[in-house]
């Protein structure tokens, strides 16, 4: 059977002018000092990764608190003036500790200005609304984003954890394309395939940035029984056949959906980040892909 296509070539980030590698790296779990951060970024760059995903809220649980992951990235960028070139910096705003969401136009200006300052850059390549704020009309979210774009503070706009309907409502008020969705998507989180998010991405030519593509590590450190076990067994069968790690097969599975999701690798180990390059050796066919899905569903396809 023919292998599902998995290209290593860079491609446009949805309807933007930004070109990205088909893997991304994320900083949700980033901690430690700038030297450690630099090493991980170097590992990601080594395997061709261009898109780096962070958020103003990342680091909230560390001693440095809100904004600290962006500040750490800012420190790394400041120490190496050449690094920014070729990097697509994606960040997010809209989660406010204690509230918990605000996507009001005024708040977005403040949040984005603060992110720019921490990152030490003049423009954010992809600015994403982190989670839908149920109390802000999409017209106002759009107004906030348009202001940021007109001020040259952001290049492209994306959404994260938005439903398809919320995205359509925002797009209706926005004279810029929403270029990306960022849903959770992995063999242990299948919802975007059936809740309309991946269909909308294909309909509107939006990029899909898949968060927690290894289910936050649960696919790797899986418990010895239960549904994850069946998925793990199927992934291991394919990993053995393909001569790669279980992680690479799981990433390849995510990437093989026709919306061509870009998995955001969450590992903080430079070696494990580098090993993700083997994803491009994986050849899954239709039967392989559906076998993982059936194991994940715990039931045959209808
Ligand atoms: P993930 O790739 O599903 O999980 C990463 C975890 O798996 C790490 O703890 C890692 O540990 C572990 N792991 C174990 N073996 C591994 C292997 N062989 N290869 C890779 N990782 C392995 O991703 P995630 O960290 O949960 O999320 C990834 C990114 O998605 C975040 O950094 C963030 O950018 C984004 N995100 C977005 C949202 C949102 O709401 N938009 C929410 C969550 C995450 P080691 O570090 O020890 O390798």
């Amino acid at each position: 059977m023919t292998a599902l296509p998995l290209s290593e070539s860079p491609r446009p980030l949805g309807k933007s002018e930004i070109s990205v590698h088909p893997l991304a790296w994320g900083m949700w779990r980033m901690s430690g000092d700038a030297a450690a951060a630099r090493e991980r970024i170097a590992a990601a760059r080594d395997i061709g990764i261009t898109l780096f995903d962070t958020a103003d809220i990342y680091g909230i649980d560390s001693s440095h608190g809100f904004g600290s992951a962006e500040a750490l990235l800012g420190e790394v960028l400041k120490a190496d003036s050449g690094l920014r070139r070729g990097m697509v910096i994606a960040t997010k705003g809209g989660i406010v500790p204690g509230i918990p969401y605000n996507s009001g136009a005024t708040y977005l200006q403040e949040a984005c200005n603060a992110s720019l300052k921490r990152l030490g850059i003049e423009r954010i390549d992809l600015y994403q609304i982190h989670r839908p704020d149920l109390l802000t009309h999409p017209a106002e979210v759009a107004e906030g984003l348009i202001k940021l774009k007109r001020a040259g503070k952001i290049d492209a706009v994306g959404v994260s954890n938005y439903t398809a309907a919320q995205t359509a409502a925002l797009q209706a008020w926005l004279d810029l394309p929403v270029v990306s969705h960022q849903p959770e998507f992995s063999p242990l989180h299948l919802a975007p395939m059936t809740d309309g998010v991946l269909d909308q991405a294909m309909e509107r030519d939006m990029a899909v940035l898949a968060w927690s593509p290894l289910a936050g590590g649960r696919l790797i450190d899986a418990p010895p029984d239960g549904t994850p076990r069946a998925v793990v067994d199927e992934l291991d069968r394919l990993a053995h056949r393909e001569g790669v790690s279980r992680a690479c097969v799981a990433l390849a599975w995510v990437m093989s959906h026709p919306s061509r999701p870009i998995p955001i690798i969450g590992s903080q180990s430079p070696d494990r980040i580098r090993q993700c390059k083997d994803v491009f050796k994986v050849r899954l066919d239709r039967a392989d892909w559906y076998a993982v899905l059936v194991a994940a569903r715990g039931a045959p396809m209808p």
Side-chain angles (χ1 to χ4, degrees):
M1 232 185 287
T2 327
L4 299 167
L6 215 59
S7 167
E8 197 169 350
S9 306
R11 59 166 103 139
L13 184 75
K15 284 183 181 156
S16 74
E17 308 278 303
I18 302 168
S19 172
V20 288
H21 185 265
L23 296 173
W25 182 68
M27 297 174 225
W28 179 35
R29 298 174 193 273
M30 191 161 76
S31 59
D33 59 12
R38 170 143 186 61
E39 218 188 312
R40 295 161 188 156
I41 291 168
R45 296 290 286 140
D46 281 353
I47 63 166
I49 287 177
T50 49
L51 192 145
F52 291 80
D53 182 69
T54 187
D56 55 9
I57 190 87
Y58 291 175
I60 182 82
D61 296 325
S62 74
S63 55
H64 301 291
F66 188 94
S68 58
E70 284 184 338
L72 194 52
L73 175 58
E75 219 182 302
V76 175
L77 292 171
K78 196 173 169 193
D80 181 349
S81 55
L83 193 62
R84 171 78 173 101
R85 217 173 319 114
M87 259 175 110
V88 174
I89 296 183
T91 193
K92 318 181 195 76
I95 299 187
V96 189
I99 294 201
Y101 308 132
N102 191 347
S103 293
T106 307
Y107 177 77
L108 288 182
Q109 311 309 300
E110 290 163 11
C112 184
N113 285 337
S115 289
L116 284 165
K117 199 166 167 204
R118 285 187 292 261
L119 290 163
I121 59 177
E122 294 190 349
R123 192 167 63 159
I124 289 160
D125 299 309
L126 176 67
Y127 194 65
Q128 303 156 101
I129 303 292
H130 204 151
R131 285 194 176 268
D133 170 16
L134 304 177
L135 280 176
T136 303
H137 193 289
E140 193 190 330
V141 183
E143 182 198 322
L145 293 169
I146 289 166
K147 257 193 203 161
L148 291 171
K149 173 72 179 175
R150 290 205 180 127
K153 294 179 178 177
I154 63 172
D155 187 350
V157 161
V159 291
S160 178
N161 304 299
Y162 262 50
T163 64
Q166 286 164 338
T167 308
L170 174 61
Q171 188 62 80
W173 293 95
L174 198 59
D175 58 4
L176 319 160
V178 179
V179 306
S180 59
H181 262 300
Q182 187 176 141
E184 180 177 6
F185 181 45
S186 75
L188 296 190
H189 193 93
L190 305 169
M193 286 198 291
T194 49
D195 65 10
V197 165
L198 298 189
D199 295 318
Q200 181 178 60
M202 293 186 283
E203 179 196 350
R204 299 187 175 199
D205 192 17
M206 294 170 70
V208 176
L209 303 173
W211 68 260
S212 289
L214 301 178
R218 278 190 303 134
L219 275 172
I220 309 301
D221 308 311
D225 49 24
T227 308
R229 187 72 250 161
V231 184
V232 163
D233 288 347
E234 200 50 50
L235 294 174
D236 280 350
R237 179 183 71 79
L238 296 166
H240 181 73
R241 188 189 77 192
E242 298 294 304
V244 299
S245 67
R246 186 195 301 163
C248 284
V249 175
L251 295 175
W253 186 89
V254 164
M255 295 164 79
S256 297
H257 186 272
S259 63
R260 301 205 299 163
I262 296 174
I264 312 176
I265 295 161
S267 175
Q268 299 299 303
S269 146
D271 284 349
R272 280 196 283 276
I273 295 168
R274 281 197 188 87
Q275 281 162 19
C276 291
K277 190 173 172 52
D278 283 353
V279 70
F280 297 106
K281 294 181 184 162
V282 179
R283 295 284 172 268
L284 299 183
D285 64 25
R286 282 176 170 274
D288 300 330
W289 193 88
Y290 275 110
V292 173
L293 181 59
V294 166
R297 283 162 44 92
M301 299 305 290

